[in-house]
Amino acid sequence: MARTTVPYSALLPNADLADPAGTATNAGVGNGHTIAKAVPELTVLRVVAGATGGNVTIKAGANPPAIAAGQGDLVVAVANSATRWLGPFESGRFIQNDGSLLVDIATGFVAGTITAFRIPRNT
């Protein structure tokens, strides 16, 4: 199974944003999600677990361009029916050589969503 693309929901300066539904979780190592043309320092993820939570892994990037990729993946445990906010992230650790961020969801993670928010540069 291939990775699912998660589009950005842009946060708006001096405005509001309706709560986006998020992208359905796609569980299994290597089957998770990709955020194309990512700007890690301006990216915050909202992960909502369904009845069964599990680990969410932000994959370490490729060196180059991620010179700190050797620090490894970021693994966050998300409890059953819980919501976790992850990020912002460091490009030097997490950016892939195609400019994306990769997110893996634990195999047992059931019926959750992931939403990528992009923080505006000018507020």
Side-chain angles (χ1 to χ4, degrees):
M1 184 177 240
R3 291 185 178 274
T4 302
T5 300
V6 177
Y8 272 117
S9 293
L11 296 174
L12 307 170
N14 305 312
D16 68 324
L17 173 69
D19 192 16
T23 303
T25 55
N26 189 12
V29 175
N31 292 333
H33 301 281
T34 184
I35 302 167
K37 298 180 183 175
V39 183
E41 287 80 6
L42 302 178
T43 302
V44 175
L45 302 178
R46 179 184 65 195
V47 179
V48 180
T52 306
N55 288 341
V56 174
T57 304
I58 311 303
K59 300 299 291 175
N63 183 5
I67 60 173
Q71 293 180 21
D73 299 341
L74 170 65
V75 180
V76 177
V78 181
N80 301 353
S81 303
T83 300
R84 295 295 298 238
W85 292 83
L86 291 69
F89 306 99
E90 296 177 54
S91 294
R93 181 174 174 188
F94 297 108
I95 198 76
Q96 301 298 316
N97 57 10
D98 66 354
S100 68
L101 281 176
L102 300 180
V103 182
D104 281 350
I105 306 294
T107 302
F109 202 102
V110 176
T113 61
I114 183 169
T115 308
F117 292 95
R118 186 170 179 156
I119 301 167
R121 290 179 186 250
N122 300 323
T123 57

